[in-house]
């Protein structure tokens, strides 16, 4: 790949076209920032240049500042590696330039890319250009000063915290983009169009008291939605600084935030809280980890091309099947939904319609798109439509004989190229396909509920699944906007396997005398959206009892058998499904802890009989979190050792997207390394002595902790002799 560079061409009309070239997204890498400075200086000083157009090569303006530099800053702990974009380039060379500059924007302008465009004196865009300030998702703040001045404070805050607006001067076709931008720049030079420096504008800001009111509401909102992410509040602080003291002061303060070590303690503190904080490290890690999942050795690097998947059959119209069907039709893939009788079929179709309507109600889908999606669905009761399907996803109940029967039938009903996928969350795929001779095209497509919303697709392969089939499913996964993570075949695969101790340790803590609702609250404060017991209510106790059995069977040496779920079921409770769980559920209000469940919990403790000396143990919130999550880290270590995932960061992505582990903590393995393998190991060892084998550290954890090797370091070939991948 050619080195990143910036080019400049001066036309006969006196317009200099400055082009960013750094495929695939024209990220603002250090040489690009330097190149931009050079070219703007040159264009400003050349007499034959009357006006300037800034654009990106290859149909994309810029994906923003080069995130690799963040990683370098985190690695070296040295913030001076960040080049100064905001003042030297955007303010001095672009915004304050003596010649008009127009941004010709196409494809995307994100983060620092959008900031460059906003520093220009006008912006012309091609249709469907994606504009955004995703910096908060990386733990840092965006340029905060120009956007409020260009579009107003409320809209700017909306966009920085995640939404859209209109800050473009004209939208033209791709073909006309450069032509119109050139003319626009010349019009500004000739004063036929206004020469606007966005940092000077105040007309959209409103009065100071209005601004303070908007900021107050935004702060409250950010406190609720992003409680553990300091960058949100910092972003609002810096906006306020610019509104009170002027745009330049705001920009300078942003700069101070980044360059804090040279400045006073306050800035140093804010700086530490943002750029160098674990929040940013975690989020940047997840960004790259997510992209790494699309690189699977011996699948994506052997020259295979994905085959098109146009028609998919889904077997089973229950919650999972209808969610899976919804995900496909929303992305233009034709779906045949098969059920065993018309009553179940109708129910499945109604669920799909409700899924689609729900997206329209929440403003996530237009009515037109919803109608088109529903046209892509056909319900059937037999296999006659299966003769030309490219993939089948079986999503029936977890019954081995039923799945085996279905796969034998599929072998006869489907064309030979058809991918045969199962959505099982626990059953060994070799057993599912045992009665067929199509093991090479049998694969796990493990969706997470609700399947049309949750972003993770766990792709489970066996030793016999062909690379082509894996690649095809990865490609479909991306088309239906999931993040596919390829994993090996074992009980629970990667996510449920690593997280089975999560609910078990929560129940163990209850048996040791810790309050159910305190446990949920500690886990929520840590950053998961709901605690293990609210999750239990949501999933339903039947599901919990069934999956617990699978794990008890597979891992009897380290499974904690709590009587809690059985006792709850016996008392007529089934969680959210019947409105009677550990929480009470009333329409329109949040679930509330149900005090009438306390006698059941007392009975559970009596039956477990594990409280030391018969008295509840005393633990801090931090200990609660650790006693629940360190066993998850421990099982993750086994997943890593057995080669169930390609790389440790795949488990990070899977934990974030499948279990809602907080992304700003970087995922389960990244977090464990941040806490320290040795601390995890010694804590587990201590608890295993006090409370038994459930906490016993795995061999892998012990070895890494005692040798001081990070858990995320690649597993050596000798220890992956039993590798599944
Ligand atoms: C000072 C400034 O205000 C601070 C900043 O600008 S911070 C940066 C803000 N920008 C962002 O957060 C954008 C991040 N990028 C994205 O969201 C998406 O990559 C995208 C929407 C630009 C493109 O998505 P898509 O087409 O699906 O391609 P995707 O696979 O994500 O990316 C393609 C490649 O570009 C890389 N890339 C994308 N954006 C990048 C960036 N800003 N810096 C460095 N590399 C980047 C990816 O890592 C990936 O590399 P790989 O092929 O080696 O894995």
């Amino acid at each position: 790949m050619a080195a990143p560079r910036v080019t400049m061409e001066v036309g006969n009309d006196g317009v200099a076209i400055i082009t960013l070239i750094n495929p695939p997204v024209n990220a603002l890498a250090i040489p690009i920032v330097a190149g931009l400075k050079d070219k703007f200086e040159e264009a400003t000083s050349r007499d034959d240049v009357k006006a300037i157009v800034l654009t990106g090569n290859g149909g994309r303006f810029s994906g923003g500042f080069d995130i690799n530099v963040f990683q370098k800053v985190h690695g070296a702990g040295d913030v001076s590696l960040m080049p100064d974009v905001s003042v030297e380039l955007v303010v001095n060379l672009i915004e304050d330039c003596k010649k008009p500059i127009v941004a010709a924007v196409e494809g995307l302008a994100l983060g620092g890319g959008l900031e460059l465009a906003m520093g220009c004196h006008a912006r012309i865009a091609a249709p469907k250009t994606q504009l955004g300030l995703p910096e908060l998702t990386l733990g840092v703040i965006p340029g905060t000063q120009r956007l409020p001045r260009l579009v107003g404070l409320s809209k700017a805050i909306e966009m920085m915290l995640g939404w859209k607006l209109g800050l473009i001067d004209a939208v033209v076709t791709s073909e006309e983009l450069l032509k119109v931008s050139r003319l626009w720049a010349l019009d500004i030079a000739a004063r036929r169009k206004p020469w606007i420096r966005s940092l000077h504008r105040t007309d959209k800001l409103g009065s100071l008291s209005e601004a303070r009111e908007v900021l107050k509401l935004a702060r409250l909102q950010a406190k609720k939605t992003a409680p553990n992410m300091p960058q949100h509040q910092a972003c609002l602080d810096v906006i306020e600084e610019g509104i009170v003291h002027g745009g330049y002061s705001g920009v300078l303060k942003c700069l101070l935030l980044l360059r804090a070590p040279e400045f006073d303690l306050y800035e140093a503190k804010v700086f530490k809280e943002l750029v160098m904080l674990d929040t940013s490290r975690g989020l940047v890690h997840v960004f790259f980890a997510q992209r790494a999942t699309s690189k699977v050795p011996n699948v994506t690097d052997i020259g295979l091309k994905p085959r098109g998947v146009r028609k998919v059959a889904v077997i089973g119209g229950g919650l999972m099947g209808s969610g899976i069907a919804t995900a496909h039709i929303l992305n233009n893939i034709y779906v045949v939904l098969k059920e065993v009788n018309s009553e179940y079929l109708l129910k499945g179709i109604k669920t799909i319609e409700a899924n689609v309507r729900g997206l329209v109600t929440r403003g996530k889908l237009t009515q037109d798109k919803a109608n088109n999606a529903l046209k892509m669905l056909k319900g059937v009761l037999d296999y006659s439509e299966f003769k030309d399907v490219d993939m089948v996803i079986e999503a029936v109940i977890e019954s081995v004989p039923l799945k085996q029967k279905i796969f034998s039938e599929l072998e006869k009903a489907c064309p030979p190229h058809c991918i045969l996928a199962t959505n099982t969350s626990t059953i060994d795929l070799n057993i599912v396909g045992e009665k067929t001779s199509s093991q090479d095209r049998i694969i796990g497509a493990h969706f997470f509920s609700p399947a049309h919303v949750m972003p993770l697709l766990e792709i489970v392969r066996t030793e016999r699944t062909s690379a082509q089939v894996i690649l095809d499913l990865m490609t479909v996964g991306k088309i239906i906007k999931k993040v596919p993570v390829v994993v090996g075949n074992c009980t629970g695969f990667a996510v449920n396997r690593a997280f089975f101790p999560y609910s078990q340790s929560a129940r163990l803590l209850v048996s040791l005398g810790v309050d159910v609702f305190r446990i949920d609250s500690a886990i929520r404060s840590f950053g998961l959206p709901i605690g293990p017991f609210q999750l239990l209510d949501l999933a339903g106790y039947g599901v919990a009892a069934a999956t617990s059995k699978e794990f008890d069977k597979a891992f009897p040496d380290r499974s904690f058998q709590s009587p809690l779920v059985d006792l709850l079921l016996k008392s007529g409770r089934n969680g959210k499904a019947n409105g009677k769980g550990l929480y009470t559920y009333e329409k329109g209000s949040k679930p509330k802890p149900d005090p009438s469940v306390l006698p059941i919990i007392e009975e559970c403790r009596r039956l477990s009989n594990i409280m030391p000396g018969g008295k509840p143990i005393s633990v801090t919130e931090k200990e609660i979190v650790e006693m629940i999550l360190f066993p998850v880290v421990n099982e993750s270590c086994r997943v890593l050792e057995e080669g169930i995932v390609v790389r440790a960061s795949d488990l990070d992505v899977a934990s974030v997207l499948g279990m809602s582990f907080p992304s700003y903590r970087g995922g389960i393995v990244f977090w464990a390394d941040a806490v320290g393998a040795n601390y995890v190991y010694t804590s587990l060892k201590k608890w295993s002595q006090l409370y038994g084998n459930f906490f016993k550290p795995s061999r892998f954890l012990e070895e890494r902790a005692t040798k001081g090797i990070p858990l995320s370091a690649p597993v050596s070939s000798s220890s992956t002799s039993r590798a599944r991948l």
Side-chain angles (χ1 to χ4, degrees):
M1 197 187 288
R5 63 195 194 283
V6 180
T7 61
M8 184 170 93
E9 266 178 53
V10 181
N12 294 335
D13 55 0
V15 177
I17 307 277
I18 296 181
T19 308
L20 304 167
I21 309 177
N22 186 14
V25 302
N26 294 327
L28 303 174
I30 290 174
I32 293 282
V33 174
L36 280 170
K37 284 180 187 163
D38 279 356
K39 296 302 179 203
F40 276 110
E41 269 162 1
E42 188 188 333
T44 310
S45 62
R46 269 174 66 164
D47 291 338
D48 58 337
V49 174
K50 286 191 232 152
I52 303 164
V53 167
L54 173 64
T55 194
N57 190 45
R60 288 176 145 184
F61 187 74
S62 171
F65 192 70
D66 182 359
I67 303 170
N68 292 291
V69 179
F70 281 85
Q71 248 189 350
K72 286 195 188 114
V73 168
H74 292 152
D78 179 5
V79 80
S80 70
L81 294 172
M82 300 276 295
D84 165 22
V85 182
S86 27
V87 173
E88 227 181 300
L89 177 61
V90 184
V91 175
N92 294 349
L93 286 170
I94 299 182
E95 192 155 52
D96 287 352
C97 183
K98 304 279 172 294
K99 297 175 181 175
I101 306 173
V102 171
V105 185
E106 189 174 18
L108 46 84
L110 301 175
L114 182 57
E115 196 61 24
L116 274 187
M118 288 193 294
C120 295
H121 306 117
R123 287 146 294 280
I124 314 299
K128 295 196 179 151
T129 297
Q130 187 191 351
L131 307 175
L133 291 172
E135 283 93 334
L136 294 183
T137 66
L138 297 167
V140 292
I141 53 172
T144 50
Q145 300 307 314
R146 290 181 183 83
L147 196 56
R149 288 173 166 75
L150 287 169
V151 300
L153 185 57
S154 301
K155 276 190 185 168
I157 289 175
E158 277 182 21
M159 186 171 175
M160 288 177 199
L161 304 184
W163 310 290
K164 292 271 138 105
L165 63 148
L167 54 76
I168 292 299
D169 292 276
V171 177
V172 299
T173 62
S174 283
E175 295 72 36
E176 285 186 320
L177 182 63
L178 277 187
K179 192 178 104 198
V180 174
S181 301
R182 294 184 104 101
L183 291 174
W184 202 289
L186 289 169
D187 279 351
I188 298 178
R191 306 286 165 165
R192 289 188 294 268
K193 281 200 162 60
W195 190 325
I196 298 167
R197 291 185 172 88
S198 51
L199 221 45
H200 293 226
R201 280 179 75 170
T202 52
D203 54 308
K204 298 219 170 161
L205 289 181
S207 71
L208 192 55
S209 59
E210 279 165 353
R212 286 209 156 118
E213 196 49 37
V214 172
L215 285 162
K216 191 171 137 199
L217 289 175
R219 281 197 178 96
L220 285 176
Q221 183 69 8
K223 210 169 158 188
K224 251 197 257 160
T225 54
N228 294 339
M229 291 194 257
Q231 71 271 27
H232 289 244
Q233 297 294 341
C235 174
L236 296 167
D237 290 349
V238 181
I239 294 177
E240 184 162 15
E241 170 76 21
I243 287 171
V244 176
H245 299 292
Y248 281 100
S249 169
V251 168
L252 285 173
K253 182 134 183 192
C254 288
L255 186 72
L256 295 186
L257 293 175
L258 292 172
R259 304 244 147 184
E262 295 121 60
F263 298 94
D264 68 25
L265 273 180
Y266 170 66
E267 266 80 30
K269 181 169 171 288
V270 179
F271 154 76
K272 276 189 192 138
E273 281 177 8
L274 295 179
V275 185
M276 298 301 289
L277 195 76
D278 284 349
T279 322
S280 175
R281 289 173 195 266
L283 290 166
V284 169
H285 169 73
V286 170
F287 175 82
F288 285 113
Q290 191 166 319
R291 272 134 195 101
T293 57
S294 45
K295 294 169 186 105
V296 180
N298 299 320
V299 174
T300 55
D301 54 0
I302 52 172
L304 291 173
K305 295 266 170 298
R307 298 172 297 179
V309 170
R310 277 169 292 274
K311 183 173 173 186
V312 169
V314 176
I315 303 188
L319 195 66
M320 285 313 293
S322 46
I324 294 168
T326 310
H328 284 84
I329 59 169
L330 284 174
N331 292 288
N332 237 5
I333 297 181
Y334 190 75
V335 171
V336 181
L337 178 73
K338 180 175 178 302
E339 255 300 353
V340 285
N341 61 42
S342 38
E343 186 196 327
Y344 288 178
L345 183 60
L346 202 64
K347 207 168 155 209
I349 291 175
K350 284 224 152 76
T351 313
I352 295 168
E353 285 169 354
N355 288 343
V356 173
R357 262 202 314 275
L359 293 173
V360 176
T361 314
R362 292 201 299 278
K364 303 216 157 144
L365 195 70
T366 62
Q367 190 58 52
D368 258 11
K369 286 196 174 144
N371 295 343
N372 288 340
L374 290 170
K375 281 187 203 141
M376 304 295 286
L377 176 71
K378 181 169 184 190
V380 297
L381 294 171
D382 60 32
Y383 286 122
S384 49
E385 281 278 349
F386 281 49
K387 59 185 178 304
D388 59 350
V389 292
D390 302 306
M391 175 163 78
V392 182
I393 304 176
E394 165 276 309
V396 304
I397 53 162
E398 295 285 65
S399 151
V400 169
L402 179 60
K403 285 186 198 279
Q404 286 185 336
K405 178 173 168 283
I406 289 173
F407 274 79
S408 302
E409 290 167 359
L410 288 176
E411 213 178 16
K412 293 182 201 101
C414 303
H417 77 276
C418 178
I419 300 165
L420 305 178
T422 169
N423 179 52
T424 181
S425 57
T426 39
I427 303 173
D428 187 324
L429 296 194
N430 289 319
I431 298 174
V432 171
E434 205 172 70
K435 305 241 155 88
T436 72
S437 51
S438 301
Q439 298 277 6
D440 58 330
R441 51 192 177 121
I442 290 183
I443 191 161
H446 183 210
F447 288 83
F448 291 73
S449 183
H452 62 295
V453 177
M454 291 294 278
L456 181 65
L457 171 60
E458 204 176 19
I459 295 182
V460 188
R461 70 179 191 187
T462 69
E463 296 81 356
R464 284 180 279 176
T465 312
S466 80
Q468 182 68 56
V469 164
I470 299 167
L471 182 71
D472 292 345
L473 185 51
M474 288 175 73
T475 310
V476 178
K478 286 192 177 159
I479 292 173
I480 62 171
K481 306 201 175 67
K482 304 288 172 205
V483 177
V485 177
V486 176
V487 305
N489 187 22
C490 67
T491 301
F493 315 128
V495 179
N496 288 351
R497 160 86 184 273
F499 274 82
F500 92 85
Y502 174 74
S503 47
Q504 292 205 349
S505 48
R507 289 173 218 168
L508 193 149
L509 278 183
V510 169
S511 287
L512 285 170
V514 185
D515 179 62
V516 164
F517 306 110
R518 200 173 152 228
I519 292 174
D520 271 3
S521 143
I523 291 292
R524 276 199 311 273
S525 302
F526 176 79
L528 277 95
I530 55 175
F533 293 106
Q534 205 183 330
L535 184 66
L536 176 67
D537 268 6
L538 205 65
Y541 303 155
V543 174
T547 46
S548 285
K549 254 186 221 127
E550 289 299 323
F551 289 112
D552 292 347
K553 223 172 24 189
F555 313 116
D557 59 315
R558 54 184 186 273
S559 197
F560 174 70
Q561 291 173 18
S562 158
L564 182 63
V565 170
D566 281 346
L567 289 172
L568 288 166
L569 277 168
K570 269 187 209 140
S571 73
R573 292 171 193 257
N574 194 21
K576 197 176 175 201
N578 73 351
K580 275 193 255 165
L582 293 151
Y583 290 81
T584 55
Y585 296 87
E586 275 162 38
K587 230 181 172 175
S589 70
K590 282 191 176 162
K592 291 192 189 70
D594 182 358
S596 74
V597 86
L598 295 179
I600 301 175
I601 290 169
E602 277 313 317
E603 176 63 2
C604 163
R605 288 184 184 135
R606 199 186 60 77
L607 290 173
S608 309
N609 193 25
I610 56 165
M611 288 193 287
K615 290 208 179 74
I617 62 163
S618 161
V619 276
T620 61
E621 309 289 296
K622 180 169 171 274
E623 281 166 327
I624 292 178
V625 169
E626 292 177 352
M627 287 178 86
I628 289 179
L629 290 176
F630 286 0
V632 177
V633 172
N634 204 19
E635 197 60 32
S636 300
C637 287
R638 295 186 176 98
V639 167
L640 295 176
E641 185 180 30
E642 291 171 25
I644 300 295
V645 284
V646 173
R647 50 184 88 74
S649 64
D650 284 3
L651 202 46
D652 286 328
V653 173
S655 66
V656 168
L657 301 181
M659 288 304 296
S660 303
F661 191 89
S663 53
Y664 54 84
R665 296 194 192 273
I668 189 74
V669 187
F670 185 89
W671 173 71
D673 273 336
V675 170
N678 197 44
Y679 178 66
V680 177
Y681 167 70
T682 46
S683 306
L684 284 167
K685 200 165 164 199
K686 178 181 75 190
W687 299 325
S688 70
Q689 281 151 6
L690 289 170
Y691 311 120
N693 255 2
F694 176 79
F695 291 109
K696 191 172 168 221
S698 64
R699 200 180 47 144
F700 181 91
L701 174 60
E702 180 169 10
E703 193 180 303
R704 296 261 159 145
T706 46
K707 290 188 182 158
I709 306 169
L711 302 179
S712 57
V715 179
S716 70
S717 48
S718 60
S719 51
T720 47
S721 51
R722 291 183 295 132
R724 307 295 210 285
L725 289 171

